[in-house]
Amino acid sequence: VQLVESGGGLVQPGGSLRLSCAASGFTFSSYIMHWYRQAPGKGRELVAAITTDGGSTNYADSMKGRCTISRDNARNTVYLQMSSLKPEDTAVYYCNARRLIPAVNYWGKGTLVTVSS
């Protein structure tokens, strides 16, 4: 099982980034997908979630209106499009795949997003 995030980097405040997470080794379309982030010295927090068919999404209040989660089940990939980025968005962003029954939870290794001028 692998979840490989990409697309992180250094961006100026107000800028945009699109993160990708490529999944392999499991039935991607059967898993709810999430993006989490962990800022330096803080706990991991949920950024966005998307259901198995992409029909429903959920966002953290801090990111509502500034990001969009999407998925391509044919490509086994989930995306996080972020805009109007702020320095406080600086964090390692992690991809997570979750199945409820049976309970299964997979994590990627993360990609660093740094928002700075």
Side-chain angles (χ1 to χ4, degrees):
V1 172
Q2 277 195 312
L3 292 172
V4 180
E5 301 95 336
S6 62
L10 175 64
V11 62
Q12 292 188 340
S16 300
L17 275 179
R18 187 175 86 151
L19 306 182
S20 300
C21 172
S24 61
F26 64 100
T27 306
F28 178 78
S29 59
S30 296
Y31 285 71
I32 300 168
M33 298 301 298
H34 308 78
W35 284 98
Y36 283 79
R37 69 183 181 186
Q38 187 165 16
K42 295 189 177 181
R44 196 170 294 191
E45 64 170 350
L46 178 66
V47 175
I50 187 166
T51 51
T52 54
D53 64 355
S56 181
T57 57
N58 191 35
Y59 299 96
D61 287 343
S62 60
M63 293 298 287
K64 279 182 181 175
R66 299 194 296 122
C67 76
T68 302
I69 187 171
S70 60
R71 67 189 294 162
D72 185 341
N73 285 345
R75 296 178 182 269
N76 290 351
T77 302
V78 61
Y79 305 96
L80 185 70
Q81 177 70 49
M82 301 186 292
S83 60
S84 302
L85 285 164
K86 306 174 183 179
E88 51 263 44
D89 295 319
T90 295
V92 178
Y93 284 71
Y94 297 91
C95 179
N96 168 267
R98 187 171 306 152
R99 186 169 180 170
L100 300 179
I101 301 173
V104 178
N105 214 10
Y106 300 130
W107 289 93
K109 294 184 178 180
T111 185
L112 176 62
V113 172
T114 303
V115 184
S116 176
S117 55

